[in-house]
Amino acid sequence: MKLFLDSADLDEVKKWVATGFVDGVTTNPTLMAQVGKRPRDVIPQICALVNGPVSAEVTSTHAKGMLEEAAEFIKFGPNVVIKLPLIREGLIACRELSTQNIPTNVTLCFTPAQALLAAKAGATFISPFVGRLDDVATDGMVLIDEIVTIYNNYPALSTEVLVASIRHPRQLVDAAKMGADCATLPGKIFNQLFDHPLTDRGLEQFLMAYHTASMKMEDEGGEPSE
């Protein structure tokens, strides 16, 4: 499963890319607003840091405007992916970009029917939002399972399932079990993947035992065993 970082913060991107766990980066207008920068100021630098796909999202709501933005975005780097909203105009733009072999990420997907249309439009990635569905008392993971099942039923569909709006590590694990291709995570969730209180407690106990044994061996003039 490929793991993408959901961020437009260059310092955060550098930090996580250095770990070797980041396969790509996703951005959106909200993340751009948070760092107070425009795509042309940030995306080229992210593209230079990351070997994998870097999603840059359009802000137009009409296909013509989306295609014009895409023409600018693809100049930012060879790994730019054009991120499009899952609306009628977005899918029209997606189909046109797919004929030009320009990779796309269709975002804001909330139903399997939408995902099917995106795949038929030639989307490289589909981004279903699990956390936002959970926010309205709907099980977002059911959507992932349905999309994966539909895509597997039709091998000719090459669209990858990129799970988005992940709120906790359990959703990532469930998505991996269902066979999703990718997931995008904010830095906070990346951190949580490493953490477990039993790991911390166990390490503390091991080190304490080793320290105690070391002190005892030193008192006896020997060396602690491995």
Side-chain angles (χ1 to χ4, degrees), residues 161-179:
V161 180
L162 199 175
V163 184
S165 186
I166 287 179
R167 303 288 170 80
H168 52 79
R170 185 69 241 176
Q171 289 176 323
L172 173 65
V173 172
D174 288 342
K177 288 166 63 178
M178 292 171 183

Side-chain angles (χ1 to χ4, degrees), residues 141-206:
M141 299 314 302
V142 171
L143 174 61
I144 304 304
D145 191 38
E146 290 178 329
I147 295 173
V148 170
T149 298
I150 290 170
Y151 285 5
N152 286 343
N153 284 342
Y154 300 97
L157 299 178
S158 59
T159 303
E160 296 187 36
V161 180
L162 199 175
V163 184
S165 186
I166 287 179
R167 303 288 170 80
H168 52 79
R170 185 69 241 176
Q171 289 176 323
L172 173 65
V173 172
D174 288 342
K177 288 166 63 178
M178 292 171 183
D181 303 283
C182 336
T184 186
L185 311 168
K188 174 184 175 181
I189 303 300
F190 255 111
N191 268 323
Q192 291 176 4
L193 300 183
F194 293 91
D195 297 335
H196 195 283
L198 292 180
T199 301
D200 296 337
R201 188 183 309 166
L203 179 59
E204 182 181 358
Q205 291 171 343
F206 291 156

